Amino acid sequence: MTSTLVVLKLSRMPLFVPSFVSLPKLNVLEIRRVMGLDDNNIRILLPGCPTIEELVIEESTMEKTRVIDISIPTLKSFPFSYRFVIDISVDCPYEFVINAPNLDYVHVKGHISDNFVAKSLVTLIDAHLDLRHIAVDADHYNIYHHVRELFKGIANIKLLSLSNDSVQVFLKSFRLKSHSY
């Protein structure tokens, strides 16, 4: 594509990712309110940006997404808010994976996913969580497990900000855990 682009901002548009992406100097990628962000687009786009330090995904509709895998060794800042297109009648497990050994800041806004896997977040300093629970039967979504995995992944942080909704999700998860004994 281009060997000199440092900042790329995509906003309010359908996302069409070519089959090959090469943005070797890209430091900042902002994807705001786009349509069509899916597993395949993420798998092609992110590896083509080997020097990215700031990734912003804001209010993008995640269609047919099952795994959101953010594995970027150079990533330092990751504000992320999303909306899934969910068909509740279909069993649709989601997995949110973040593997960013140099990440300092993360802000996640959305529903607690089916499986949250946080790897190599030893440098994470600042985490802001604004998580909501999907209003379906608790038997289908093991909230306690998701919350436990989330906290295992961010155990070394210095600043944690929780929204009121996040506190409610966490309280509900611990109530569900205590009732399961």
Side-chain angles (χ1 to χ4, degrees):
M1 288 185 156
T2 177
S3 62
T4 59
L5 189 65
V6 177
V7 176
L8 177 60
K9 297 180 181 185
L10 306 171
S11 180
R12 299 181 186 269
M13 57 182 267
L15 183 64
F16 298 103
V17 177
S19 60
F20 177 75
V21 174
S22 178
L23 299 168
K25 295 194 186 282
L26 192 70
N27 288 336
V28 177
L29 175 59
E30 293 184 8
I31 303 171
R32 298 180 188 271
R33 295 175 179 88
V34 301
M35 299 165 288
L37 189 60
D38 63 17
D39 295 347
N40 193 46
N41 287 340
I42 291 172
R43 273 193 297 271
I44 294 169
L45 183 60
L46 295 183
C49 309
T51 61
I52 194 164
E53 293 183 2
E54 180 178 350
L55 174 62
V56 177
I57 300 176
E58 179 182 284
E59 292 297 321
S60 294
T61 303
M62 310 293 279
E63 297 182 26
K64 300 178 184 171
T65 299
R66 296 295 180 254
V67 177
I68 302 165
D69 187 348
I70 308 298
S71 294
I72 306 171
T74 56
L75 190 63
K76 293 183 179 178
S77 176
F78 182 43
F80 179 63
S81 64
Y82 60 93
R83 296 179 310 224
F84 285 124
V85 176
I86 298 175
D87 181 357
I88 295 299
S89 66
V90 177
D91 181 23
C92 50
Y94 292 94
E95 183 173 68
F96 179 76
V97 177
I98 183 163
N99 184 4
N102 289 303
L103 191 66
D104 294 330
Y105 171 78
V106 67
H107 185 162
V108 178
K109 180 179 180 180
H111 293 103
I112 188 100
S113 64
D114 283 74
N115 192 18
F116 190 99
V117 181
K119 302 176 182 179
S120 301
L121 299 183
V122 294
T123 61
L124 187 63
I125 296 170
D126 189 355
H128 295 255
L129 304 176
D130 185 1
L131 302 170
R132 291 167 186 81
H133 180 250
I134 299 172
V136 294
D137 189 8
D139 290 337
H140 296 291
Y141 292 88
N142 186 345
I143 303 168
Y144 178 79
H145 172 74
H146 308 274
V147 169
R148 187 183 73 215
E149 290 303 308
L150 173 64
F151 275 104
K152 276 199 301 189
I154 61 172
N156 296 323
I157 62 169
K158 295 187 182 0
L159 174 63
L160 175 63
S161 298
L162 299 172
S163 69
N164 184 46
D165 289 329
S166 295
V167 171
Q168 297 304 315
V169 166
F170 299 150
L171 289 173
K172 181 176 183 173
S173 76
F174 291 111
R175 279 195 300 269
L176 289 173
K177 178 64 174 170
S178 66
H179 286 89
S180 66
Y181 288 116

